[in-house]
Amino acid sequence: MPCDVEDDIAPATPVRRGWWRLLVAVLVGGVLAGLAGAALTLLLHGVQWLAYGFGAELLTAVDLAPHWRRVLAPAVGCLVAALTWWWLARRPSGAWTVDNVADVVRGKQSRPLQLPGQVADAVAQIVLVGSGASLGREGAPRQVAAALSDVVARRAGLDPQWRSRLVAAAAGAGLAAVYGVPLAGAVYAVEVVAVGWTLPGILVALPMALLATVIAQPVVGSGPGYDIPALHPSGSLVLALVPAVFVWAAVGLVFTRAMRWATARQVSAGAAGAVAVVASGLSVGLASVWMPEIAGNGQPIVQLTLGQAAPGLWFLVLLMVAKTAVTGAHLAAGARGGLLTPALAVGAAAGGVMARQQPDVASLALVALLAAAAVLAVAQNAPVFAALFVAELCRPSAEVWLLLMAVTSCTWIVARLVVRHRPKQLPDMVRRRP
């Protein structure tokens, strides 16, 4: 598992004086992350209602919407986001600067995160995702929470090392708030954002993630993110997972390479970039006329594979290919957003394809769940985070938690051996070319 610690994240220095300032910064940062997650969740629901005219979950809303609305909703949402990014691109410095949180945490950028720019960019992402675009929503709360905690850290007079830890922890707390996954949020901060397991990082990240989850709970809810049947792995199913791990590692690597390929061919910002973003939204809208599950961040596909009705084999194959294609189209166009749920969706569809011979729906759902976590582990280069994220979202039995950890670890190891070096995780936030 990744344990490399960047040079700029040195071992913790004792906090003899001013420890109370660090404690206050952690508490305030956790509260602000929870409030940011709650606010952005409300915004997401509002955008979805404006886009489709229904406040139900996305798949239901898309199903109930007429065809013309399915086509126009993501195109209009992408237009609003593209115009916002075009406006931000014309202000490359000052308060409206948009920075990558990971660059600040890892010392690649010394200037503070600019709150106005981070908030404007986050709102654009939420508008894009809420209208049905095929990107994840975790980037928005992550960067708003990080920018707020950066302000708190600087006001508290924390040194650069503790400021980096606080910003990384806030990014994980923002994710924890919108998904209701405190353990996964804390691990996300140390395993993905900071790329280094350190005790000080964990001690800062865990309370912030727990506090943010509690603060956002009245809006986000306290139930599981996905409804699943009772899952009880059998011995024969566990043995069947041995060859499956190699297939899921390959799927994860293909998805990762496809997203990197699309990002490398990103359209430059400006009028051409805005047109490209709108065109990518239009492609999702047209696809959703025949496949409503393709709309949104991937949650409908995951729920479909985990539900009581087993989808058809070729339909799952088509969903897996189409989801990868439309997500890559957004990245190539220059759209910004997360990739967690799209990776989960592709993995769940791949698991559903391999589980067609399972005797019951519960076994099919279990394989899809494990495949989703496995592909996410490869895409994010974070096996522990992937296992905890899926476990907290679905809340299966303890034996499934252990199986998730084993499968994600084995898949990640296989992927690492295939590429012969530690695979880099996908960039959640891609900066637009000037």
XYZ file of all heavy atoms in Angstrom, residues 258-361:
709
model
N -7.472 5.581 -19.985
C -8.420 6.310 -20.834
C -8.638 7.729 -20.324
O -8.681 8.688 -21.102
C -9.750 5.553 -20.894
N -8.755 7.883 -19.004
C -8.961 9.218 -18.450
C -7.705 10.079 -18.610
O -7.791 11.279 -18.894
C -9.338 9.125 -16.973
C -10.653 8.400 -16.698
S -12.085 9.060 -17.599
C -12.324 7.779 -18.856
N -6.535 9.480 -18.462
C -5.297 10.231 -18.667
C -5.133 10.619 -20.136
O -4.659 11.711 -20.458
C -4.092 9.405 -18.193
C -4.022 9.281 -16.682
C -2.690 8.693 -16.242
N -2.628 8.650 -14.786
C -2.335 9.673 -14.007
N -2.072 10.846 -14.555
N -2.302 9.546 -12.705
N -5.478 9.715 -21.020
C -5.414 10.017 -22.456
C -6.324 11.187 -22.799
O -5.949 12.086 -23.551
C -5.813 8.779 -23.244
C -5.712 8.928 -24.733
C -4.611 8.673 -25.516
C -6.750 9.354 -25.617
N -4.896 8.933 -26.821
C -6.205 9.346 -26.923
C -8.069 9.753 -25.439
C -6.950 9.713 -28.044
C -8.811 10.127 -26.546
C -8.259 10.110 -27.837
N -7.547 11.177 -22.247
C -8.495 12.268 -22.517
C -7.978 13.587 -21.938
O -8.079 14.643 -22.572
C -9.857 11.927 -21.929
N -7.428 13.538 -20.728
C -6.920 14.748 -20.090
C -5.761 15.348 -20.876
O -5.638 16.565 -21.013
C -6.471 14.438 -18.655
O -7.576 13.911 -17.917
C -5.952 15.682 -17.959
N -4.898 14.491 -21.413
C -3.744 14.968 -22.178
C -4.164 15.657 -23.468
O -3.388 16.438 -24.035
C -2.808 13.808 -22.486
N -5.368 15.402 -23.947
C -5.859 16.006 -25.178
C -6.929 17.061 -24.914
O -7.793 17.316 -25.744
C -6.388 14.916 -26.111
C -5.268 14.122 -26.748
C -5.648 12.699 -27.062
N -4.497 11.982 -27.609
C -3.520 11.464 -26.868
N -3.563 11.587 -25.553
N -2.503 10.831 -27.422
N -6.822 17.663 -23.759
C -7.805 18.657 -23.339
C -7.819 19.868 -24.269
O -6.771 20.370 -24.666
C -7.475 19.100 -21.916
C -8.475 20.045 -21.304
C -7.987 20.514 -19.943
O -7.428 21.591 -19.823
N -8.187 19.693 -18.932
N -9.017 20.316 -24.594
C -9.183 21.497 -25.435
C -8.792 22.732 -24.637
O -9.080 22.831 -23.437
C -10.647 21.614 -25.916
C -10.847 22.875 -26.751
C -11.031 20.370 -26.708
N -8.122 23.681 -25.279
C -7.704 24.895 -24.591
C -8.910 25.694 -24.127
O -9.999 25.616 -24.707
C -6.834 25.756 -25.512
O -5.677 25.054 -25.910
N -8.693 26.486 -23.064
C -9.769 27.334 -22.557
C -10.120 28.398 -23.586
O -9.365 28.690 -24.501
C -9.345 27.983 -21.252
N -11.282 29.011 -23.419
C -11.744 30.016 -24.360
C -13.013 29.559 -25.042
O -13.720 28.664 -24.558
N -13.306 30.147 -26.184
C -14.543 29.814 -26.884
C -14.572 28.354 -27.306
O -15.595 27.669 -27.172
C -14.697 30.724 -28.105
N -13.417 27.853 -27.816
C -13.370 26.450 -28.245
C -13.603 25.514 -27.071
O -14.310 24.502 -27.189
C -12.020 26.148 -28.900
N -13.016 25.842 -25.916
C -13.223 25.013 -24.735
C -14.662 25.021 -24.277
O -15.208 23.977 -23.892
N -15.299 26.188 -24.289
C -16.703 26.275 -23.876
C -17.593 25.449 -24.793
O -18.496 24.722 -24.329
C -17.148 27.735 -23.867
N -17.344 25.525 -26.094
C -18.134 24.732 -27.049
C -17.920 23.246 -26.807
O -18.869 22.446 -26.862
C -17.757 25.115 -28.494
C -18.421 24.158 -29.488
C -18.178 26.544 -28.789
N -16.672 22.861 -26.531
C -16.371 21.449 -26.291
C -17.075 20.930 -25.039
O -17.596 19.809 -25.031
C -14.863 21.256 -26.178
N -17.102 21.732 -23.970
C -17.777 21.318 -22.739
C -19.268 21.132 -22.989
O -19.879 20.156 -22.538
C -17.524 22.331 -21.608
C -18.386 21.998 -20.385
C -16.055 22.346 -21.213
N -19.876 22.077 -23.711
C -21.305 21.966 -24.025
C -21.564 20.727 -24.881
O -22.542 20.004 -24.679
C -21.809 23.240 -24.725
C -23.257 23.069 -25.177
C -21.690 24.443 -23.802
N -20.686 20.474 -25.851
C -20.850 19.302 -26.714
C -20.754 18.009 -25.903
O -21.493 17.045 -26.164
C -19.791 19.314 -27.815
N -19.867 17.974 -24.901
C -19.765 16.771 -24.063
C -21.038 16.565 -23.255
O -21.486 15.426 -23.063
C -18.551 16.877 -23.133
O -18.728 17.889 -22.154
N -21.642 17.667 -22.776
C -22.917 17.551 -22.078
C -24.024 17.084 -22.997
O -24.889 16.278 -22.610
N -24.001 17.567 -24.234
C -25.012 17.149 -25.211
C -24.889 15.663 -25.520
O -25.900 14.965 -25.707
C -24.856 17.982 -26.490
C -25.959 17.862 -27.530
C -27.299 18.326 -26.960
C -25.605 18.684 -28.771
N -23.648 15.154 -25.550
C -23.458 13.727 -25.820
C -24.067 12.866 -24.714
O -24.670 11.820 -24.988
C -21.965 13.422 -25.978
O -21.286 13.578 -24.737
N -23.931 13.321 -23.460
C -24.552 12.588 -22.352
C -26.072 12.643 -22.467
O -26.766 11.639 -22.255
C -24.096 13.170 -21.001
C -24.834 12.496 -19.858
C -22.602 12.995 -20.826
N -26.589 13.828 -22.796
C -28.036 13.971 -22.935
C -28.606 13.070 -24.012
O -29.652 12.429 -23.812
N -27.941 13.001 -25.157
C -28.425 12.137 -26.241
C -28.355 10.669 -25.833
O -29.277 9.893 -26.109
C -27.587 12.378 -27.497
C -27.802 13.735 -28.192
C -26.768 13.938 -29.292
C -29.215 13.836 -28.750
N -27.269 10.277 -25.157
C -27.147 8.886 -24.721
C -28.215 8.531 -23.691
O -28.709 7.393 -23.661
C -25.752 8.641 -24.146
N -28.603 9.497 -22.859
C -29.584 9.217 -21.811
C -30.991 9.002 -22.353
O -31.854 8.497 -21.637
C -29.598 10.353 -20.785
O -30.126 11.540 -21.344
N -31.238 9.377 -23.603
C -32.547 9.097 -24.215
C -32.767 7.593 -24.304
O -33.867 7.093 -24.073
C -32.629 9.754 -25.608
C -33.906 9.317 -26.325
C -32.592 11.274 -25.480
N -31.718 6.846 -24.628
C -31.805 5.389 -24.727
C -31.329 4.687 -23.459
O -31.783 3.589 -23.167
C -30.978 4.906 -25.919
C -31.533 5.374 -27.229
C -32.544 4.788 -27.956
C -31.141 6.540 -27.953
N -32.792 5.521 -29.082
C -31.946 6.600 -29.125
C -30.188 7.531 -27.755
C -31.819 7.614 -30.059
C -30.058 8.546 -28.692
C -30.866 8.580 -29.833
N -30.400 5.330 -22.746
C -29.864 4.732 -21.514
C -29.921 5.772 -20.394
O -28.947 6.513 -20.182
C -28.415 4.285 -21.718
C -28.239 3.154 -22.697
S -26.470 2.662 -22.800
C -25.760 4.154 -23.498
N -31.035 5.893 -19.687
C -31.120 6.897 -18.611
C -30.042 6.718 -17.546
O -29.647 7.685 -16.899
C -32.518 6.661 -18.025
C -33.279 5.948 -19.092
C -32.282 5.142 -19.842
N -29.539 5.493 -17.386
C -28.530 5.219 -16.352
C -27.207 5.922 -16.623
O -26.383 6.078 -15.719
C -28.278 3.712 -16.238
C -29.476 2.906 -15.768
C -30.415 2.544 -16.912
O -30.150 2.958 -18.063
O -31.422 1.859 -16.661
N -26.974 6.353 -17.865
C -25.700 6.966 -18.212
C -25.586 8.379 -17.656
O -24.482 8.922 -17.505
C -25.529 7.002 -19.752
C -24.037 7.009 -20.130
C -26.221 8.193 -20.367
C -23.329 5.739 -19.861
N -26.708 9.005 -17.327
C -26.688 10.382 -16.829
C -26.134 10.429 -15.412
O -26.305 9.504 -14.622
C -28.098 10.980 -16.859
N -25.465 11.528 -15.092
C -24.987 11.743 -13.729
C -23.628 11.130 -13.470
O -22.931 10.656 -14.375
N -23.253 11.133 -12.204
C -21.894 10.747 -11.831
C -21.638 9.244 -11.868
O -20.500 8.802 -11.741
C -21.564 11.288 -10.435
C -22.509 10.747 -9.371
O -23.445 10.015 -9.652
N -22.264 11.128 -8.132
N -22.652 8.442 -12.040
C -22.502 6.989 -12.067
C -23.317 6.282 -11.015
O -23.404 5.049 -11.009
N -23.942 7.035 -10.117
C -24.751 6.439 -9.060
C -25.871 5.538 -9.607
O -26.112 4.449 -9.044
C -25.322 7.541 -8.167
C -26.083 7.054 -6.948
C -27.570 6.858 -7.216
O -28.084 7.373 -8.204
N -28.229 6.126 -6.336
N -26.564 5.932 -10.707
C -27.611 5.041 -11.226
C -27.077 3.681 -11.663
O -27.739 2.656 -11.469
C -28.176 5.833 -12.417
C -27.886 7.265 -12.097
C -26.570 7.242 -11.405
N -25.875 3.643 -12.248
C -25.315 2.370 -12.692
C -24.963 1.495 -11.491
O -25.226 0.283 -11.485
C -24.079 2.614 -13.572
C -24.471 3.371 -14.842
C -23.404 1.296 -13.935
C -23.298 3.733 -15.733
N -24.358 2.106 -10.495
C -24.003 1.337 -9.290
C -25.254 0.767 -8.641
O -25.300 -0.417 -8.278
C -23.221 2.223 -8.301
C -22.891 1.429 -7.032
C -21.938 2.746 -8.931
N -26.282 1.588 -8.481
C -27.504 1.113 -7.845
C -28.178 0.030 -8.668
O -28.757 -0.919 -8.125
C -28.470 2.280 -7.626
C -29.704 1.912 -6.810
C -29.359 1.408 -5.418
O -28.924 2.169 -4.556
N -29.541 0.110 -5.186
N -28.093 0.132 -9.988
C -28.683 -0.881 -10.864
C -28.036 -2.243 -10.632
O -28.723 -3.262 -10.539
C -28.514 -0.456 -12.323
C -29.031 -1.443 -13.385
C -30.553 -1.498 -13.349
C -28.541 -1.040 -14.768
N -26.726 -2.267 -10.532
C -26.027 -3.545 -10.358
C -26.170 -4.105 -8.947
O -25.998 -5.313 -8.740
C -24.528 -3.382 -10.677
O -23.964 -2.390 -9.812
C -24.327 -2.973 -12.119
N -26.480 -3.236 -7.981
C -26.630 -3.692 -6.602
C -28.077 -3.961 -6.222
O -28.351 -4.394 -5.101
C -26.052 -2.647 -5.632
C -24.574 -2.317 -5.787
C -24.168 -1.266 -4.764
C -23.706 -3.561 -5.644
N -29.003 -3.695 -7.129
C -30.420 -3.813 -6.827
C -30.945 -5.225 -6.934
O -30.205 -6.196 -7.120
N -32.269 -5.331 -6.835
C -32.917 -6.642 -6.832
C -33.099 -7.212 -8.234
O -33.210 -8.421 -8.407
C -34.299 -6.523 -6.160
C -34.229 -6.087 -4.711
C -33.538 -7.114 -3.833
O -33.600 -8.308 -4.094
N -32.852 -6.646 -2.798
N -33.120 -6.361 -9.266
C -33.322 -6.830 -10.635
C -31.965 -6.922 -11.340
O -31.255 -5.928 -11.450
C -34.246 -5.877 -11.388
N -31.609 -8.101 -11.808
C -30.327 -8.300 -12.473
C -30.396 -7.777 -13.907
O -31.214 -8.241 -14.700
C -29.975 -9.787 -12.474
N -29.571 -6.795 -14.277
C -29.594 -6.265 -15.642
C -28.996 -7.251 -16.640
O -28.286 -8.191 -16.265
C -28.737 -4.991 -15.537
C -27.846 -5.237 -14.370
C -28.616 -6.101 -13.414
N -29.286 -7.038 -17.931
C -28.796 -7.925 -18.965
C -27.303 -7.793 -19.196
O -26.693 -6.752 -18.932
N -26.688 -8.853 -19.713
C -25.244 -8.903 -19.915
C -24.765 -7.809 -20.864
O -23.880 -7.017 -20.537
C -24.855 -10.286 -20.437
C -23.394 -10.454 -20.859
C -22.465 -10.256 -19.681
C -23.179 -11.828 -21.494
N -25.337 -7.764 -22.065
C -24.858 -6.815 -23.068
C -25.211 -5.382 -22.704
O -24.500 -4.444 -23.093
C -25.410 -7.181 -24.448
C -24.821 -8.456 -24.944
C -25.444 -9.654 -25.094
C -23.452 -8.675 -25.311
N -24.577 -10.609 -25.542
C -23.332 -10.029 -25.695
C -22.319 -7.858 -25.369
C -22.136 -10.589 -26.111
C -21.123 -8.411 -25.794
C -21.032 -9.741 -26.160
N -26.269 -5.207 -21.963
C -26.598 -3.862 -21.492
C -25.525 -3.364 -20.525
O -25.126 -2.194 -20.563
C -27.971 -3.876 -20.817
C -28.432 -2.515 -20.358
C -28.714 -1.518 -21.272
C -28.570 -2.232 -19.007
C -29.133 -0.261 -20.854
C -28.986 -0.993 -18.582
C -29.282 0.001 -19.515
N -25.034 -4.237 -19.654
C -23.966 -3.863 -18.731
C -22.675 -3.545 -19.480
O -21.955 -2.603 -19.137
C -23.722 -4.983 -17.728
C -24.741 -5.135 -16.599
C -24.456 -6.382 -15.788
C -24.734 -3.906 -15.698
N -22.360 -4.342 -20.497
C -21.170 -4.074 -21.305
C -21.287 -2.716 -21.976
O -20.330 -1.914 -21.993
C -20.967 -5.176 -22.358
C -19.828 -4.809 -23.307
C -20.679 -6.510 -21.679
N -22.460 -2.433 -22.518
C -22.683 -1.144 -23.175
C -22.570 0.002 -22.179
O -21.962 1.045 -22.488
C -24.071 -1.141 -23.830
C -24.443 0.119 -24.611
C -23.459 0.364 -25.746
C -25.868 0.003 -25.150
N -23.123 -0.170 -20.986
C -23.022 0.866 -19.963
C -21.565 1.115 -19.571
O -21.148 2.261 -19.398
C -23.823 0.463 -18.717
C -25.329 0.694 -18.735
C -25.948 0.181 -17.437
C -25.670 2.155 -18.923
N -20.792 0.044 -19.421
C -19.393 0.173 -19.023
C -18.599 0.959 -20.067
O -17.839 1.877 -19.726
C -18.789 -1.217 -18.823
C -17.349 -1.217 -18.352
S -16.795 -2.873 -17.851
C -17.120 -3.810 -19.351
N -18.800 0.631 -21.330
C -18.074 1.319 -22.403
C -18.558 2.756 -22.546
O -17.761 3.696 -22.668
C -18.234 0.554 -23.731
C -17.604 1.328 -24.886
C -17.620 -0.832 -23.621
N -19.878 2.950 -22.518
C -20.430 4.290 -22.706
C -20.063 5.217 -21.562
O -19.761 6.399 -21.775
C -21.953 4.209 -22.848
N -20.055 4.695 -20.325
C -19.702 5.542 -19.177
C -18.256 5.999 -19.267
O -17.943 7.163 -18.975
C -19.932 4.766 -17.877
C -19.889 5.643 -16.629
C -21.013 6.663 -16.670
C -21.026 7.557 -15.456
N -22.072 8.588 -15.544
N -17.374 5.104 -19.665
C -15.974 5.481 -19.844
C -15.840 6.528 -20.936
O -15.088 7.511 -20.792
C -15.135 4.245 -20.200
O -15.266 3.267 -19.156
C -13.677 4.610 -20.361
N -16.578 6.362 -22.020
C -16.470 7.275 -23.158
C -16.971 8.678 -22.816
O -16.299 9.674 -23.104
C -17.248 6.716 -24.347
N -18.136 8.782 -22.191
C -18.683 10.117 -21.918
C -17.896 10.826 -20.817
O -17.732 12.056 -20.845
C -20.184 10.047 -21.559
C -20.998 9.550 -22.743
C -20.437 9.173 -20.334
N -17.383 10.064 -19.844
C -16.547 10.682 -18.810
C -15.255 11.209 -19.423
O -14.815 12.331 -19.129
C -16.227 9.672 -17.698
O -17.446 9.137 -17.166
C -15.447 10.335 -16.575
N -14.650 10.423 -20.303
C -13.461 10.888 -20.996
C -13.740 12.090 -21.878
O -12.895 12.986 -22.008
N -14.924 12.132 -22.479
C -15.288 13.277 -23.318
C -15.338 14.557 -22.493
O -14.906 15.624 -22.958
C -16.637 13.023 -23.986
N -15.862 14.480 -21.282
C -15.879 15.661 -20.404
C -14.461 16.141 -20.098
O -14.176 17.339 -20.133
C -16.604 15.332 -19.097
C -18.090 15.274 -19.219
N -18.835 16.256 -19.825
C -18.990 14.350 -18.788
C -20.113 15.943 -19.779
N -20.232 14.789 -19.147
N -13.582 15.204 -19.771
C -12.212 15.583 -19.440
C -11.493 16.162 -20.654
O -10.754 17.146 -20.535
C -11.442 14.374 -18.901
C -11.916 13.785 -17.575
C -11.001 12.647 -17.149
C -11.983 14.847 -16.487
N -11.688 15.562 -21.812
C -11.059 16.082 -23.022
C -11.565 17.477 -23.356
O -10.824 18.304 -23.915
C -11.308 15.127 -24.187
N -12.813 17.745 -23.033
C -13.377 19.067 -23.282
C -12.857 20.112 -22.300
O -12.962 21.316 -22.562
C -14.901 19.007 -23.220
N -12.314 19.662 -21.167
C -11.804 20.593 -20.174
C -12.700 20.771 -18.973
O -12.477 21.677 -18.167
N -13.736 19.933 -18.837
C -14.621 20.030 -17.679
C -13.879 19.581 -16.433
O -12.952 18.769 -16.486
C -15.871 19.183 -17.880
N -14.290 20.117 -15.286
C -13.669 19.793 -14.005
C -14.668 19.056 -13.126
O -15.854 19.383 -13.112
C -13.202 21.069 -13.300
C -12.042 21.759 -13.981
C -11.852 23.165 -13.448
N -11.543 23.189 -12.024
C -10.311 23.099 -11.518
N -9.278 22.958 -12.323
N -10.105 23.164 -10.222
N -14.164 18.077 -12.405
C -15.031 17.313 -11.521
C -14.301 16.103 -10.998
O -13.137 15.855 -11.338
N -14.976 15.323 -10.179
C -14.358 14.152 -9.588
C -14.519 12.924 -10.453
O -15.262 12.915 -11.439
N -13.797 11.865 -10.079
C -13.838 10.612 -10.834
C -14.109 9.406 -9.943
O -13.975 8.273 -10.388
C -12.510 10.404 -11.578
C -12.235 11.380 -12.714
C -10.803 11.245 -13.214
C -13.203 11.158 -13.863
N -14.497 9.638 -8.701
C -14.734 8.512 -7.797
C -15.925 7.670 -8.250
O -15.805 6.451 -8.452
C -14.965 9.013 -6.368
C -13.805 9.714 -5.669
C -14.176 10.007 -4.221
C -12.539 8.878 -5.725
N -17.083 8.285 -8.374
C -18.280 7.514 -8.717
C -18.259 6.999 -10.151
O -18.740 5.888 -10.399
C -19.553 8.334 -8.445
O -19.469 8.913 -7.137
C -20.792 7.454 -8.501
N -17.730 7.748 -11.146
C -17.575 7.117 -12.461
C -16.729 5.849 -12.425
O -17.057 4.862 -13.092
C -16.899 8.224 -13.294
C -17.371 9.483 -12.680
C -17.446 9.193 -11.212
N -15.638 5.849 -11.642
C -14.832 4.633 -11.517
C -15.630 3.526 -10.839
O -15.558 2.354 -11.248
C -13.558 4.932 -10.726
N -16.392 3.874 -9.800
C -17.253 2.876 -9.153
C -18.250 2.285 -10.147
O -18.495 1.069 -10.149
C -18.018 3.518 -7.993
C -17.299 3.736 -6.662
C -18.252 4.402 -5.675
C -16.780 2.430 -6.098
N -18.840 3.139 -10.980
C -19.847 2.680 -11.942
C -19.253 1.708 -12.951
O -19.839 0.657 -13.250
C -20.461 3.880 -12.653
N -18.082 2.045 -13.487
C -17.427 1.161 -14.457
C -17.073 -0.165 -13.788
O -17.266 -1.243 -14.369
C -16.175 1.852 -15.039
C -15.355 0.864 -15.873
C -16.574 3.050 -15.887
N -16.569 -0.111 -12.565
C -16.233 -1.333 -11.852
C -17.458 -2.185 -11.540
O -17.424 -3.408 -11.686
N -18.536 -1.529 -11.112
C -19.760 -2.277 -10.799
C -20.315 -2.962 -12.035
O -20.779 -4.115 -11.968
C -20.800 -1.334 -10.204
N -20.277 -2.268 -13.176
C -20.746 -2.879 -14.422
C -19.863 -4.057 -14.808
O -20.361 -5.106 -15.247
C -20.773 -1.836 -15.534
N -18.542 -3.913 -14.635
C -17.635 -5.021 -14.937
C -17.909 -6.219 -14.023
O -17.887 -7.372 -14.464
C -16.186 -4.559 -14.780
N -18.181 -5.939 -12.748
C -18.528 -7.016 -11.836
C -19.832 -7.691 -12.212
O -19.960 -8.915 -12.118
N -20.806 -6.879 -12.652
C -22.068 -7.452 -13.081
C -21.919 -8.366 -14.281
O -22.585 -9.401 -14.376
N -21.027 -8.008 -15.203
C -20.773 -8.849 -16.373
C -20.186 -10.193 -15.945
O -20.598 -11.252 -16.439
C -19.814 -8.129 -17.347
C -19.342 -9.087 -18.438
C -20.495 -6.920 -17.970
N -19.240 -10.158 -15.004
C -18.580 -11.394 -14.585
C -19.456 -12.250 -13.677
O -19.180 -13.443 -13.501
C -17.278 -11.054 -13.855
C -16.231 -10.390 -14.719
S -14.638 -10.300 -13.879
C -14.232 -12.039 -13.729
N -20.491 -11.654 -13.103
C -21.308 -12.381 -12.116
C -22.585 -12.955 -12.712
O -23.480 -13.354 -11.966
C -21.652 -11.455 -10.951
N -22.664 -13.015 -14.026
C -23.912 -13.483 -14.643
C -24.240 -14.926 -14.281
O -25.396 -15.344 -14.315
C -23.820 -13.366 -16.174
C -23.656 -11.938 -16.671
C -24.762 -11.046 -16.184
N -26.064 -11.543 -16.574
C -27.225 -11.078 -16.133
N -27.226 -10.121 -15.233
N -28.357 -11.561 -16.558
N -23.210 -15.720 -13.927
C -23.451 -17.131 -13.614
C -23.768 -17.370 -12.143
O -23.959 -18.513 -11.735
C -22.209 -17.961 -14.001
C -21.810 -17.838 -15.460
C -22.953 -18.213 -16.396
O -23.667 -19.189 -16.154
N -23.128 -17.442 -17.459
N -23.812 -16.303 -11.356
C -24.117 -16.471 -9.934
C -25.565 -16.921 -9.753
O -26.453 -16.530 -10.510
C -23.874 -15.162 -9.184
C -22.419 -14.749 -9.145
C -21.528 -15.796 -8.488
O -21.906 -16.437 -7.504
N -20.341 -15.998 -9.064
N -25.820 -17.722 -8.731
C -27.149 -18.341 -8.606
C -28.251 -17.402 -8.146
O -29.425 -17.715 -8.305
C -26.914 -19.454 -7.568
C -25.748 -18.962 -6.757
C -24.888 -18.210 -7.712
N -27.918 -16.272 -7.522
C -28.957 -15.391 -7.009
C -28.514 -13.936 -7.129
O -27.344 -13.629 -7.397
C -29.284 -15.724 -5.551
C -28.028 -15.766 -4.677
O -27.361 -14.726 -4.548
O -27.721 -16.861 -4.156
N -29.472 -13.046 -6.928
C -29.222 -11.614 -7.067
C -28.247 -11.121 -6.010
O -27.415 -10.243 -6.276
C -30.556 -10.842 -6.988
C -30.312 -9.331 -6.967
C -31.450 -11.207 -8.166
